[in-house]
Amino acid sequence: MKYLYLSKKLLYLIFIFIWAHNSYAQQALNLISPQILPDNRVTISLYAPMATDVQLVGGWMSNPFIGEKMNKGDNGVWTYTTAALKEDMYLYSSCPEI
């Protein structure tokens, strides 16, 4: 049981390290995400230079369980811009494939 506890703790620490590293990389590039545009569209950006594909799922989508593909820029930043949205709080998640 003690081994299982240590494994969970180690996985948690690895997850925190990866999350912090990705956050630092996005800050270094001065990424602002999400960015609300004047016409109520929203641009979501993610720095993932090693990814081959990134899918985005969000609560505004007609079927939030089927992701939409993000577009990769030359600098390793993936972006997706929504259609105009009503003012509300929306949850979203990205899934990079490496």
Side-chain angles (χ1 to χ4, degrees):
M1 191 67 160
K2 187 175 182 180
Y3 178 74
L4 181 61
Y5 174 75
L6 290 175
S7 296
K8 285 183 180 181
K9 192 172 185 179
L10 180 62
L11 286 174
Y12 178 74
L13 289 173
I14 290 170
F15 172 77
I16 293 297
F17 173 77
I18 291 170
W19 176 80
H21 182 269
N22 192 34
S23 296
Y24 176 75
Q26 294 207 162
Q27 288 175 0
L29 291 172
N30 292 323
L31 285 181
I32 298 172
S33 184
Q35 184 176 16
I36 302 171
L37 304 174
D39 60 355
N40 285 345
R41 293 180 304 141
V42 178
T43 298
I44 298 168
S45 302
L46 174 72
Y47 179 68
M50 302 295 286
T52 58
D53 185 51
V54 179
Q55 295 289 320
L56 181 75
V57 293
W60 66 88
M61 296 176 176
S62 58
N63 187 347
F65 299 105
I66 298 177
E68 294 193 26
K69 186 175 180 167
M70 296 182 78
N71 301 309
K72 185 176 185 179
D74 294 334
N75 57 357
V77 175
W78 294 76
T79 59
Y80 177 85
T81 301
T82 69
L85 298 175
K86 296 179 193 173
E87 290 186 25
D88 203 347
M89 182 178 285
Y90 298 97
L91 297 176
Y92 67 91
S93 179
S94 58
C95 183
E97 186 175 307
I98 299 176

